[in-house]
Amino acid sequence: MKNRLLWLLIISGGTFLQGFGVTEPGLEVQNAPKECMMMGRDGRDGRDGIVGSPGRDGSNGAKGDSGEKGEKGTNGLKGEEGEKGEPGICASRNIKQFVYTNLNEGKDVGLIMKEQFTKISNDSSLRVLWSGSLGLVPEYRTACRRWYFTFNQKECTDPAPIDTQLYENIHGDNSHRPSPVEGLCFGVPQGDVAIAFNINRCGNHDLSGNAFTGYDSVSRIIIEEI
């Protein structure tokens, strides 16, 4: 038994549990300090610590992808009836009337009357109207005259000329008829437009006979932008 204790003492560097001694001759043994080693159980978890102060705001993240298009929503409820609005104002018309008292023009060919009109838009048309009497008296055979409008010295081409004709074949007949000449002309550019009412021979006739325009009556030219 003593030999075992001595062997353990030598292996452990001379450390031994207090209470045991060695009397083996020739071996000096000093009392070793007391050491006690025991394995305890794990302790309980500690309490929660104090809540820390809020942290700083983080930086903005990258822009996300566009989401898918949502479904069409249902119609909302019908709104309440609004208040009655103020009376509207009619749009102004760009229209002119030129009146001639006892014009009594006896030309057989040439210009009867010319007026100036300012057209506002390129997309509009011009409506023209001659209202008055026209007459033609044959001399000794048939006669024919043509009255027509021009726009800046040119007849209308869109859609067609604006004109009328009188044909007479009774010698000495001196009748004067109310003869309106009216039409719409497209393609006339905006700006100042010279609009004229003219007379000339018919295509297949000469200038025989005597023509009368606006004889002993009131005549009118009406021009309107439409």
Side-chain angles (χ1 to χ4, degrees), residues 38-164:
M38 296 183 66
M39 298 294 291
R41 296 180 179 178
D42 295 338
R44 297 179 180 177
D45 295 338
R47 297 179 180 177
D48 295 337
I50 300 173
V51 177
S53 57
R56 297 179 180 177
D57 294 338
S59 58
N60 295 332
K63 184 178 180 181
D65 297 333
S66 299
E68 296 181 358
K69 185 176 181 181
E71 297 180 358
K72 184 178 180 181
T74 57
N75 294 331
L77 299 176
K78 184 178 180 180
E80 298 179 357
E81 185 175 354
E83 298 179 359
K84 185 176 181 180
E86 298 180 358
I89 300 175
C90 295
S92 59
R93 297 173 63 182
N94 188 14
I95 184 171
K96 282 187 176 183
Q97 175 180 243
F98 304 91
V99 179
Y100 318 100
T101 303
N102 294 324
L103 180 60
N104 291 330
E105 178 59 65
K107 287 182 180 179
D108 290 317
V109 61
L111 175 67
I112 300 297
M113 191 60 65
K114 181 173 70 173
E115 302 295 348
Q116 201 76 11
F117 185 85
T118 301
K119 190 170 182 284
I120 298 174
S121 173
N122 276 324
D123 300 325
S124 60
S125 64
L126 287 180
R127 169 182 171 262
V128 290
L129 167 67
W130 158 268
S131 176
S133 68
L134 302 177
L136 179 62
V137 181
E139 293 178 345
Y140 53 89
R141 54 179 176 174
T142 59
C144 184
R145 289 294 186 279
R146 175 176 178 259
W147 286 262
Y148 58 96
F149 279 100
T150 57
F151 303 83
N152 292 331
Q153 299 180 352
K154 296 180 180 179
E155 290 197 60
C156 181
T157 58
D158 186 5
I162 301 173
D163 68 349
T164 191

